[in-house]
Amino acid sequence: MITCHHGGMDPVAALDRVATLLERKQAGRYKEQAFRKAADAIRDMPVDELRALAERGRIQSIPGVGSSTGQVIEQALQGDVPEYLARLEAEAAPDQGPGAEIRSLLKGDLHLHSDWSDGGARIEQMARKAADLGHEYMALTDHSPRLTVAKGLSPDRLREQLDVVHALNAELAPFRILTGIEVDILEDGALDQDDDLLAELDVVVASVHSKLRMPEQPMTDRMVAAMASPHTDILGHCTGRMVVGRGRPESTFDADLVFGVCAHFDKAVEINCRPERLDPPMRLLDKVVELGAKVSIDSDAHAVGQLEWQPYGCERAAVAGVDPDHVVNAWPVERLLAWTASHGA
């Protein structure tokens, strides 16, 4: 944690870290944003000024600072780890355990969202956090047009995003943002974006988001058609299940056929790390390994803190006996891009 020159903890760093941990545990956007806003409110204030306000009990007079955020600031200024932060750190994600070795090999994250679609952070914020986690690259995979509830990107908005990514890459080098999309697999197996645009992208994750209860045969046909396309690289959250709250049952499909097609066309099956998805279920992940398909261990992050979810997927990969060389986002970027380019060849 960053310290300030008077000793003690930097209150801005403490607020940012709390926000990150709240995002990781999905505490709710309102709560996460409160800590981000408070951090922004004091970011440029001299520490002496903050101390003077704290001593007079006036921290909450700063616009954007409330009781919880004010308490974090005051405790940080006193040189303590704020209680709120300490409690959240104690609940943090499983970086150790069986998945630690695979996690240490990961060089990137190939499925994540920004505020261009339904994410809560700017592209640059997601990229800087990915770099802080030790990654060399990330694929920006905002949603495609048909997913209107997630502000899916029209062809024009996607082209505009490509220009933004190009400019950011010049600024963030050597870290690299790969161009990408999470493209909807439509009911007939077609992909929800222009072919010429899909051909231009570095990474294409294809996922089913609609008609999740289709009968097994048409769902199988739909997924097979998508993964046989020269434009797709990774099959996203294959069963669509949700394992928390009211939950959502798995979509049914012929797993031998779908994963077999992924192996045949040298595509990857995603191990989705979102705690409410943990998709595919272990029995299906065992099948992916048995059939020799590659995997991509992705956070599917919609906020900065959620980029820290990859250990959940790494643990599952280790338990299933995934060959580390079959994890495509453990590869150097040149090898990864040669692999995605081979699908369109």
Side-chain angles (χ1 to χ4, degrees), residues 117-180:
S117 68
D118 60 343
R122 299 191 314 278
I123 298 168
E124 182 182 351
Q125 290 173 304
M126 297 296 278
R128 290 191 185 280
K129 174 64 177 183
D132 286 347
L133 289 174
H135 288 332
E136 295 170 17
Y137 56 81
M138 70 175 210
L140 177 62
T141 55
D142 280 321
H143 289 285
S144 62
R146 196 71 66 96
L147 210 63
T148 50
V149 62
K151 295 196 317 215
L153 272 58
S154 66
D156 286 346
R157 284 185 68 222
L158 180 54
R159 284 192 188 89
E160 196 184 323
Q161 187 182 75
L162 299 184
D163 292 338
V164 171
V165 168
H166 182 69
L168 276 173
N169 273 333
E171 194 183 315
L172 298 171
F175 183 83
R176 184 154 167 201
I177 304 170
L178 305 178
T179 58

Short mmCIF file of all heavy atoms in Angstrom, two decimals, residues 117-180:
data_model
loop_
_atom_site.label_atom_id
_atom_site.label_comp_id
_atom_site.label_asym_id
_atom_site.label_seq_id
_atom_site.Cartn_x
_atom_site.Cartn_y
_atom_site.Cartn_z
N SER A 117 -19.69 -0.79 -22.98
CA SER A 117 -20.92 -1.60 -22.95
C SER A 117 -21.41 -1.62 -21.51
O SER A 117 -21.78 -0.57 -20.99
CB SER A 117 -20.73 -3.00 -23.58
OG SER A 117 -19.87 -3.84 -22.85
N ASP A 118 -21.39 -2.76 -20.82
CA ASP A 118 -22.01 -2.78 -19.49
C ASP A 118 -21.02 -2.82 -18.34
O ASP A 118 -21.37 -3.16 -17.22
CB ASP A 118 -22.99 -3.96 -19.39
CG ASP A 118 -22.31 -5.31 -19.62
OD1 ASP A 118 -21.18 -5.31 -20.16
OD2 ASP A 118 -22.89 -6.34 -19.26
N GLY A 119 -19.76 -2.46 -18.62
CA GLY A 119 -18.77 -2.39 -17.55
C GLY A 119 -18.86 -1.07 -16.81
O GLY A 119 -19.51 -0.13 -17.27
N GLY A 120 -18.17 -0.99 -15.66
CA GLY A 120 -18.27 0.22 -14.84
C GLY A 120 -17.03 1.08 -14.86
O GLY A 120 -16.95 2.07 -14.14
N ALA A 121 -16.02 0.71 -15.68
CA ALA A 121 -14.76 1.47 -15.68
C ALA A 121 -14.34 1.80 -17.11
O ALA A 121 -14.73 1.13 -18.05
CB ALA A 121 -13.66 0.66 -14.98
N ARG A 122 -13.52 2.83 -17.21
CA ARG A 122 -13.00 3.21 -18.53
C ARG A 122 -11.97 2.19 -19.00
O ARG A 122 -11.35 1.49 -18.20
CB ARG A 122 -12.35 4.60 -18.46
CG ARG A 122 -13.32 5.71 -18.05
CD ARG A 122 -12.70 7.10 -18.25
NE ARG A 122 -11.33 7.21 -17.75
CZ ARG A 122 -11.00 7.42 -16.47
NH1 ARG A 122 -11.95 7.55 -15.55
NH2 ARG A 122 -9.74 7.51 -16.11
N ILE A 123 -11.78 2.12 -20.31
CA ILE A 123 -10.82 1.18 -20.90
C ILE A 123 -9.45 1.35 -20.25
O ILE A 123 -8.79 0.38 -19.86
CB ILE A 123 -10.70 1.38 -22.42
CG1 ILE A 123 -12.04 1.14 -23.11
CG2 ILE A 123 -9.62 0.46 -23.00
CD1 ILE A 123 -12.09 1.59 -24.56
N GLU A 124 -9.01 2.60 -20.11
CA GLU A 124 -7.68 2.87 -19.55
C GLU A 124 -7.56 2.36 -18.12
O GLU A 124 -6.53 1.81 -17.72
CB GLU A 124 -7.39 4.37 -19.60
CG GLU A 124 -6.01 4.69 -19.07
CD GLU A 124 -5.69 6.18 -19.07
OE1 GLU A 124 -6.47 6.98 -19.63
OE2 GLU A 124 -4.65 6.54 -18.49
N GLN A 125 -8.64 2.52 -17.31
CA GLN A 125 -8.59 2.03 -15.93
C GLN A 125 -8.44 0.51 -15.90
O GLN A 125 -7.67 -0.03 -15.09
CB GLN A 125 -9.88 2.42 -15.19
CG GLN A 125 -10.02 3.91 -14.92
CD GLN A 125 -11.40 4.24 -14.35
OE1 GLN A 125 -12.43 3.93 -14.94
NE2 GLN A 125 -11.43 4.85 -13.19
N MET A 126 -9.17 -0.17 -16.77
CA MET A 126 -9.07 -1.64 -16.83
C MET A 126 -7.65 -2.05 -17.24
O MET A 126 -7.07 -2.98 -16.68
CB MET A 126 -10.10 -2.22 -17.81
CG MET A 126 -11.55 -1.97 -17.42
SD MET A 126 -12.06 -2.77 -15.87
CE MET A 126 -12.43 -4.45 -16.43
N ALA A 127 -7.08 -1.33 -18.21
CA ALA A 127 -5.74 -1.67 -18.71
C ALA A 127 -4.68 -1.44 -17.63
O ALA A 127 -3.79 -2.28 -17.43
CB ALA A 127 -5.42 -0.84 -19.95
N ARG A 128 -4.77 -0.32 -16.93
CA ARG A 128 -3.76 -0.03 -15.90
C ARG A 128 -3.83 -1.05 -14.77
O ARG A 128 -2.80 -1.47 -14.23
CB ARG A 128 -3.91 1.39 -15.37
CG ARG A 128 -3.51 2.45 -16.41
CD ARG A 128 -3.39 3.84 -15.83
NE ARG A 128 -3.13 4.82 -16.87
CZ ARG A 128 -1.93 5.06 -17.40
NH1 ARG A 128 -0.88 4.36 -17.00
NH2 ARG A 128 -1.77 5.98 -18.35
N LYS A 129 -5.05 -1.46 -14.41
CA LYS A 129 -5.20 -2.47 -13.37
C LYS A 129 -4.63 -3.82 -13.84
O LYS A 129 -3.92 -4.50 -13.09
CB LYS A 129 -6.68 -2.63 -12.99
CG LYS A 129 -6.95 -3.77 -12.01
CD LYS A 129 -6.29 -3.51 -10.67
CE LYS A 129 -6.65 -4.61 -9.68
NZ LYS A 129 -6.08 -4.32 -8.34
N ALA A 130 -4.91 -4.18 -15.09
CA ALA A 130 -4.38 -5.45 -15.63
C ALA A 130 -2.85 -5.44 -15.59
O ALA A 130 -2.22 -6.43 -15.20
CB ALA A 130 -4.88 -5.66 -17.06
N ALA A 131 -2.25 -4.30 -15.94
CA ALA A 131 -0.79 -4.18 -15.90
C ALA A 131 -0.29 -4.30 -14.45
O ALA A 131 0.72 -4.97 -14.19
CB ALA A 131 -0.36 -2.85 -16.51
N ASP A 132 -1.02 -3.69 -13.50
CA ASP A 132 -0.64 -3.79 -12.08
C ASP A 132 -0.67 -5.23 -11.59
O ASP A 132 0.09 -5.61 -10.69
CB ASP A 132 -1.62 -2.99 -11.19
CG ASP A 132 -1.40 -1.48 -11.30
OD1 ASP A 132 -0.36 -1.07 -11.86
OD2 ASP A 132 -2.28 -0.73 -10.85
N LEU A 133 -1.56 -6.04 -12.17
CA LEU A 133 -1.66 -7.45 -11.77
C LEU A 133 -0.55 -8.30 -12.39
O LEU A 133 -0.49 -9.50 -12.17
CB LEU A 133 -3.03 -8.02 -12.19
CG LEU A 133 -4.24 -7.51 -11.41
CD1 LEU A 133 -5.53 -8.05 -12.01
CD2 LEU A 133 -4.14 -7.91 -9.93
N GLY A 134 0.30 -7.65 -13.20
CA GLY A 134 1.42 -8.37 -13.80
C GLY A 134 1.14 -8.87 -15.21
O GLY A 134 1.95 -9.60 -15.78
N HIS A 135 0.00 -8.49 -15.78
CA HIS A 135 -0.31 -8.93 -17.13
C HIS A 135 0.46 -8.13 -18.17
O HIS A 135 0.82 -6.97 -17.94
CB HIS A 135 -1.82 -8.79 -17.41
CG HIS A 135 -2.66 -9.80 -16.69
ND1 HIS A 135 -2.20 -11.04 -16.33
CD2 HIS A 135 -3.95 -9.75 -16.27
CE1 HIS A 135 -3.17 -11.72 -15.73
NE2 HIS A 135 -4.24 -10.95 -15.67
N GLU A 136 0.67 -8.76 -19.32
CA GLU A 136 1.34 -8.09 -20.45
C GLU A 136 0.31 -7.60 -21.46
O GLU A 136 0.60 -6.74 -22.28
CB GLU A 136 2.30 -9.08 -21.13
CG GLU A 136 3.45 -9.49 -20.21
CD GLU A 136 4.27 -10.64 -20.77
OE1 GLU A 136 4.17 -10.93 -21.99
OE2 GLU A 136 5.02 -11.25 -19.98
N TYR A 137 -0.89 -8.18 -21.41
CA TYR A 137 -1.94 -7.79 -22.37
C TYR A 137 -3.30 -8.10 -21.79
O TYR A 137 -3.44 -8.85 -20.82
CB TYR A 137 -1.76 -8.52 -23.71
CG TYR A 137 -1.71 -10.04 -23.59
CD1 TYR A 137 -2.86 -10.80 -23.48
CD2 TYR A 137 -0.48 -10.72 -23.61
CE1 TYR A 137 -2.82 -12.19 -23.37
CE2 TYR A 137 -0.43 -12.11 -23.51
CZ TYR A 137 -1.59 -12.84 -23.39
OH TYR A 137 -1.54 -14.21 -23.28
N MET A 138 -4.33 -7.51 -22.40
CA MET A 138 -5.72 -7.87 -22.12
C MET A 138 -6.49 -7.71 -23.42
O MET A 138 -6.12 -6.87 -24.26
CB MET A 138 -6.32 -6.97 -21.03
CG MET A 138 -6.56 -5.54 -21.49
SD MET A 138 -7.39 -4.55 -20.24
CE MET A 138 -8.31 -3.38 -21.29
N ALA A 139 -7.53 -8.51 -23.60
CA ALA A 139 -8.41 -8.32 -24.76
C ALA A 139 -9.65 -7.58 -24.28
O ALA A 139 -10.27 -7.99 -23.29
CB ALA A 139 -8.78 -9.66 -25.37
N LEU A 140 -9.98 -6.50 -24.95
CA LEU A 140 -11.18 -5.73 -24.62
C LEU A 140 -12.34 -6.34 -25.40
O LEU A 140 -12.35 -6.30 -26.63
CB LEU A 140 -10.96 -4.27 -25.02
CG LEU A 140 -12.14 -3.33 -24.81
CD1 LEU A 140 -12.52 -3.23 -23.34
CD2 LEU A 140 -11.81 -1.94 -25.35
N THR A 141 -13.30 -6.93 -24.68
CA THR A 141 -14.37 -7.69 -25.36
C THR A 141 -15.74 -7.18 -24.93
O THR A 141 -16.48 -7.90 -24.25
CB THR A 141 -14.24 -9.19 -25.05
OG1 THR A 141 -14.23 -9.37 -23.61
CG2 THR A 141 -12.96 -9.78 -25.61
N ASP A 142 -16.06 -5.96 -25.31
CA ASP A 142 -17.39 -5.44 -25.02
C ASP A 142 -18.42 -6.18 -25.89
O ASP A 142 -18.08 -6.85 -26.85
CB ASP A 142 -17.43 -3.93 -25.24
CG ASP A 142 -16.84 -3.18 -24.04
OD1 ASP A 142 -17.09 -3.61 -22.90
OD2 ASP A 142 -16.12 -2.19 -24.25
N HIS A 143 -19.70 -6.02 -25.51
CA HIS A 143 -20.77 -6.80 -26.14
C HIS A 143 -21.09 -6.34 -27.56
O HIS A 143 -20.77 -5.23 -27.97
CB HIS A 143 -22.04 -6.71 -25.28
CG HIS A 143 -21.94 -7.48 -24.00
ND1 HIS A 143 -22.02 -8.85 -23.96
CD2 HIS A 143 -21.76 -7.07 -22.72
CE1 HIS A 143 -21.90 -9.26 -22.70
NE2 HIS A 143 -21.73 -8.20 -21.93
N SER A 144 -21.78 -7.23 -28.28
CA SER A 144 -22.17 -6.95 -29.67
C SER A 144 -23.59 -6.35 -29.70
O SER A 144 -24.30 -6.36 -28.70
CB SER A 144 -22.08 -8.24 -30.49
OG SER A 144 -22.96 -9.23 -30.00
N PRO A 145 -24.03 -5.81 -30.86
CA PRO A 145 -25.23 -4.95 -30.92
C PRO A 145 -26.52 -5.55 -30.38
O PRO A 145 -27.30 -4.86 -29.72
CB PRO A 145 -25.40 -4.66 -32.42
CG PRO A 145 -24.15 -5.06 -33.08
CD PRO A 145 -23.38 -5.94 -32.16
N ARG A 146 -26.75 -6.85 -30.62
CA ARG A 146 -28.04 -7.45 -30.27
C ARG A 146 -28.31 -7.41 -28.77
O ARG A 146 -29.45 -7.44 -28.33
CB ARG A 146 -28.08 -8.90 -30.80
CG ARG A 146 -29.46 -9.52 -30.87
CD ARG A 146 -30.32 -8.92 -31.98
NE ARG A 146 -29.81 -9.21 -33.31
CZ ARG A 146 -30.22 -10.21 -34.07
NH1 ARG A 146 -31.16 -11.04 -33.64
NH2 ARG A 146 -29.73 -10.38 -35.28
N LEU A 147 -27.22 -7.37 -27.96
CA LEU A 147 -27.41 -7.35 -26.51
C LEU A 147 -27.62 -5.89 -26.06
O LEU A 147 -26.77 -5.26 -25.48
CB LEU A 147 -26.20 -7.97 -25.80
CG LEU A 147 -26.52 -8.65 -24.46
CD1 LEU A 147 -27.48 -9.83 -24.64
CD2 LEU A 147 -25.27 -9.13 -23.77
N THR A 148 -28.82 -5.39 -26.36
CA THR A 148 -29.12 -3.97 -26.10
C THR A 148 -29.11 -3.67 -24.61
O THR A 148 -28.72 -2.58 -24.20
CB THR A 148 -30.49 -3.58 -26.69
OG1 THR A 148 -31.45 -4.56 -26.26
CG2 THR A 148 -30.45 -3.57 -28.20
N VAL A 149 -29.50 -4.64 -23.78
CA VAL A 149 -29.52 -4.44 -22.33
C VAL A 149 -28.11 -4.13 -21.82
O VAL A 149 -27.94 -3.47 -20.80
CB VAL A 149 -30.12 -5.67 -21.61
CG1 VAL A 149 -29.29 -6.92 -21.85
CG2 VAL A 149 -30.27 -5.45 -20.12
N ALA A 150 -27.08 -4.57 -22.55
CA ALA A 150 -25.70 -4.33 -22.15
C ALA A 150 -25.03 -3.26 -23.03
O ALA A 150 -23.81 -3.20 -23.12
CB ALA A 150 -24.90 -5.64 -22.23
N LYS A 151 -25.84 -2.43 -23.70
CA LYS A 151 -25.32 -1.35 -24.56
C LYS A 151 -24.33 -1.90 -25.60
O LYS A 151 -23.23 -1.37 -25.78
CB LYS A 151 -24.62 -0.26 -23.74
CG LYS A 151 -25.52 0.52 -22.80
CD LYS A 151 -24.86 1.82 -22.31
CE LYS A 151 -23.40 1.67 -21.93
NZ LYS A 151 -22.93 2.50 -20.80
N GLY A 152 -24.71 -3.02 -26.24
CA GLY A 152 -23.83 -3.66 -27.22
C GLY A 152 -23.39 -2.68 -28.31
O GLY A 152 -24.13 -1.78 -28.69
N LEU A 153 -22.18 -2.88 -28.82
CA LEU A 153 -21.57 -1.93 -29.77
C LEU A 153 -22.01 -2.18 -31.20
O LEU A 153 -21.80 -3.27 -31.75
CB LEU A 153 -20.03 -2.02 -29.70
CG LEU A 153 -19.34 -1.14 -28.66
CD1 LEU A 153 -19.84 -1.45 -27.25
CD2 LEU A 153 -17.83 -1.35 -28.71
N SER A 154 -22.59 -1.15 -31.82
CA SER A 154 -22.89 -1.19 -33.25
C SER A 154 -21.56 -1.22 -34.01
O SER A 154 -20.51 -0.89 -33.45
CB SER A 154 -23.66 0.07 -33.66
OG SER A 154 -22.80 1.20 -33.50
N PRO A 155 -21.57 -1.58 -35.30
CA PRO A 155 -20.32 -1.56 -36.08
C PRO A 155 -19.61 -0.20 -35.98
O PRO A 155 -18.39 -0.15 -35.82
CB PRO A 155 -20.78 -1.87 -37.50
CG PRO A 155 -22.02 -2.69 -37.33
CD PRO A 155 -22.69 -2.15 -36.10
N ASP A 156 -20.37 0.88 -36.03
CA ASP A 156 -19.74 2.21 -35.98
C ASP A 156 -19.08 2.47 -34.64
O ASP A 156 -17.97 3.02 -34.57
CB ASP A 156 -20.79 3.31 -36.26
CG ASP A 156 -21.16 3.37 -37.74
OD1 ASP A 156 -20.42 2.76 -38.55
OD2 ASP A 156 -22.18 4.00 -38.08
N ARG A 157 -19.77 2.10 -33.54
CA ARG A 157 -19.17 2.32 -32.21
C ARG A 157 -17.95 1.42 -32.01
O ARG A 157 -16.97 1.83 -31.38
CB ARG A 157 -20.20 2.06 -31.11
CG ARG A 157 -21.21 3.20 -30.97
CD ARG A 157 -22.15 2.98 -29.79
NE ARG A 157 -21.48 3.07 -28.51
CZ ARG A 157 -21.68 2.25 -27.47
NH1 ARG A 157 -22.54 1.24 -27.57
NH2 ARG A 157 -21.05 2.42 -26.33
N LEU A 158 -17.99 0.20 -32.56
CA LEU A 158 -16.84 -0.68 -32.43
C LEU A 158 -15.64 -0.10 -33.19
O LEU A 158 -14.51 -0.10 -32.69
CB LEU A 158 -17.18 -2.09 -32.95
CG LEU A 158 -16.05 -3.12 -32.87
CD1 LEU A 158 -15.47 -3.24 -31.46
CD2 LEU A 158 -16.54 -4.49 -33.34
N ARG A 159 -15.89 0.46 -34.38
CA ARG A 159 -14.80 1.09 -35.14
C ARG A 159 -14.20 2.26 -34.36
O ARG A 159 -12.98 2.44 -34.32
CB ARG A 159 -15.30 1.58 -36.51
CG ARG A 159 -15.48 0.46 -37.51
CD ARG A 159 -15.69 0.96 -38.93
NE ARG A 159 -16.05 -0.16 -39.78
CZ ARG A 159 -17.31 -0.57 -39.98
NH1 ARG A 159 -18.32 0.06 -39.42
NH2 ARG A 159 -17.55 -1.62 -40.75
N GLU A 160 -15.08 3.01 -33.73
CA GLU A 160 -14.64 4.15 -32.92
C GLU A 160 -13.78 3.64 -31.75
O GLU A 160 -12.74 4.23 -31.42
CB GLU A 160 -15.90 4.85 -32.38
CG GLU A 160 -15.70 6.25 -31.85
CD GLU A 160 -17.02 6.78 -31.26
OE1 GLU A 160 -18.11 6.50 -31.81
OE2 GLU A 160 -16.93 7.47 -30.22
N GLN A 161 -14.21 2.54 -31.14
CA GLN A 161 -13.45 1.97 -30.03
C GLN A 161 -12.05 1.52 -30.47
O GLN A 161 -11.08 1.68 -29.74
CB GLN A 161 -14.21 0.79 -29.41
CG GLN A 161 -13.54 0.25 -28.14
CD GLN A 161 -14.26 -0.94 -27.56
OE1 GLN A 161 -14.17 -2.05 -28.07
NE2 GLN A 161 -14.99 -0.73 -26.47
N LEU A 162 -11.96 0.99 -31.69
CA LEU A 162 -10.66 0.53 -32.19
C LEU A 162 -9.67 1.70 -32.26
O LEU A 162 -8.48 1.54 -31.96
CB LEU A 162 -10.80 -0.12 -33.58
CG LEU A 162 -11.69 -1.38 -33.64
CD1 LEU A 162 -11.66 -2.00 -35.03
CD2 LEU A 162 -11.26 -2.41 -32.60
N ASP A 163 -10.16 2.89 -32.64
CA ASP A 163 -9.29 4.07 -32.68
C ASP A 163 -8.83 4.45 -31.27
O ASP A 163 -7.66 4.82 -31.07
CB ASP A 163 -10.03 5.27 -33.31
CG ASP A 163 -10.32 5.05 -34.79
OD1 ASP A 163 -9.61 4.23 -35.41
OD2 ASP A 163 -11.25 5.70 -35.33
N VAL A 164 -9.74 4.35 -30.31
CA VAL A 164 -9.40 4.67 -28.92
C VAL A 164 -8.33 3.70 -28.41
O VAL A 164 -7.35 4.11 -27.76
CB VAL A 164 -10.67 4.60 -28.02
CG1 VAL A 164 -10.31 4.70 -26.54
CG2 VAL A 164 -11.65 5.71 -28.40
N VAL A 165 -8.50 2.42 -28.71
CA VAL A 165 -7.54 1.40 -28.27
C VAL A 165 -6.17 1.66 -28.90
O VAL A 165 -5.13 1.57 -28.23
CB VAL A 165 -8.05 -0.02 -28.62
CG1 VAL A 165 -6.94 -1.06 -28.45
CG2 VAL A 165 -9.25 -0.37 -27.75
N HIS A 166 -6.16 2.01 -30.16
CA HIS A 166 -4.91 2.29 -30.87
C HIS A 166 -4.15 3.43 -30.17
O HIS A 166 -2.94 3.34 -29.92
CB HIS A 166 -5.22 2.67 -32.32
CG HIS A 166 -3.99 2.93 -33.14
ND1 HIS A 166 -3.12 1.92 -33.50
CD2 HIS A 166 -3.47 4.09 -33.64
CE1 HIS A 166 -2.12 2.44 -34.20
NE2 HIS A 166 -2.30 3.76 -34.29
N ALA A 167 -4.87 4.48 -29.80
CA ALA A 167 -4.25 5.63 -29.12
C ALA A 167 -3.74 5.24 -27.73
O ALA A 167 -2.64 5.62 -27.32
CB ALA A 167 -5.24 6.78 -29.03
N LEU A 168 -4.56 4.46 -27.00
CA LEU A 168 -4.15 4.04 -25.66
C LEU A 168 -2.92 3.14 -25.71
O LEU A 168 -2.05 3.21 -24.83
CB LEU A 168 -5.29 3.29 -24.96
CG LEU A 168 -6.36 4.14 -24.27
CD1 LEU A 168 -7.50 3.24 -23.80
CD2 LEU A 168 -5.77 4.90 -23.09
N ASN A 169 -2.83 2.29 -26.72
CA ASN A 169 -1.68 1.39 -26.82
C ASN A 169 -0.38 2.16 -26.98
O ASN A 169 0.66 1.76 -26.46
CB ASN A 169 -1.87 0.38 -27.96
CG ASN A 169 -2.64 -0.84 -27.48
OD1 ASN A 169 -2.61 -1.18 -26.31
ND2 ASN A 169 -3.36 -1.50 -28.39
N ALA A 170 -0.45 3.28 -27.69
CA ALA A 170 0.75 4.11 -27.86
C ALA A 170 1.20 4.65 -26.49
O ALA A 170 2.39 4.76 -26.21
CB ALA A 170 0.45 5.26 -28.81
N GLU A 171 0.21 4.93 -25.65
CA GLU A 171 0.48 5.52 -24.33
C GLU A 171 0.91 4.48 -23.29
O GLU A 171 1.74 4.77 -22.43
CB GLU A 171 -0.83 6.19 -23.88
CG GLU A 171 -0.72 7.14 -22.73
CD GLU A 171 -2.11 7.67 -22.35
OE1 GLU A 171 -2.88 8.04 -23.27
OE2 GLU A 171 -2.41 7.70 -21.15
N LEU A 172 0.34 3.27 -23.38
CA LEU A 172 0.54 2.27 -22.32
C LEU A 172 1.65 1.26 -22.60
O LEU A 172 1.95 0.42 -21.75
CB LEU A 172 -0.78 1.51 -22.07
CG LEU A 172 -1.97 2.33 -21.58
CD1 LEU A 172 -3.24 1.49 -21.59
CD2 LEU A 172 -1.72 2.87 -20.18
N ALA A 173 2.24 1.32 -23.80
CA ALA A 173 3.28 0.34 -24.18
C ALA A 173 4.34 0.25 -23.07
O ALA A 173 4.63 1.26 -22.44
CB ALA A 173 3.91 0.76 -25.49
N PRO A 174 4.88 -0.94 -22.80
CA PRO A 174 4.75 -2.19 -23.57
C PRO A 174 3.46 -2.97 -23.30
O PRO A 174 3.20 -3.96 -23.99
CB PRO A 174 5.96 -3.01 -23.12
CG PRO A 174 6.22 -2.54 -21.72
CD PRO A 174 5.86 -1.08 -21.70
N PHE A 175 2.67 -2.58 -22.28
CA PHE A 175 1.38 -3.27 -22.08
C PHE A 175 0.54 -3.09 -23.33
O PHE A 175 0.59 -2.04 -23.98
CB PHE A 175 0.63 -2.68 -20.87
CG PHE A 175 -0.66 -3.40 -20.59
CD1 PHE A 175 -0.68 -4.58 -19.86
CD2 PHE A 175 -1.86 -2.93 -21.11
CE1 PHE A 175 -1.87 -5.26 -19.62
CE2 PHE A 175 -3.06 -3.61 -20.89
CZ PHE A 175 -3.05 -4.78 -20.14
N ARG A 176 -0.23 -4.10 -23.67
CA ARG A 176 -1.00 -4.04 -24.92
C ARG A 176 -2.46 -4.41 -24.72
O ARG A 176 -2.78 -5.43 -24.11
CB ARG A 176 -0.36 -5.01 -25.93
CG ARG A 176 -1.00 -4.95 -27.28
CD ARG A 176 -0.04 -5.37 -28.34
NE ARG A 176 -0.74 -5.59 -29.59
CZ ARG A 176 -0.28 -6.33 -30.58
NH1 ARG A 176 0.89 -6.89 -30.49
NH2 ARG A 176 -0.97 -6.48 -31.68
N ILE A 177 -3.33 -3.55 -25.23
CA ILE A 177 -4.77 -3.86 -25.27
C ILE A 177 -5.04 -4.51 -26.62
O ILE A 177 -4.80 -3.90 -27.66
CB ILE A 177 -5.63 -2.59 -25.13
CG1 ILE A 177 -5.28 -1.81 -23.87
CG2 ILE A 177 -7.12 -2.96 -25.15
CD1 ILE A 177 -5.92 -0.42 -23.81
N LEU A 178 -5.51 -5.74 -26.61
CA LEU A 178 -5.86 -6.42 -27.85
C LEU A 178 -7.29 -6.05 -28.21
O LEU A 178 -8.15 -5.95 -27.33
CB LEU A 178 -5.74 -7.94 -27.69
CG LEU A 178 -4.38 -8.44 -27.19
CD1 LEU A 178 -4.39 -9.95 -27.01
CD2 LEU A 178 -3.26 -8.04 -28.16
N THR A 179 -7.55 -5.85 -29.49
CA THR A 179 -8.92 -5.52 -29.91
C THR A 179 -9.76 -6.79 -29.88
O THR A 179 -9.27 -7.88 -30.20
CB THR A 179 -8.93 -4.91 -31.31
OG1 THR A 179 -8.34 -5.84 -32.24
CG2 THR A 179 -8.16 -3.60 -31.35
N GLY A 180 -11.00 -6.65 -29.47
CA GLY A 180 -11.82 -7.86 -29.36
C GLY A 180 -13.29 -7.54 -29.20
O GLY A 180 -13.72 -6.39 -29.26
#
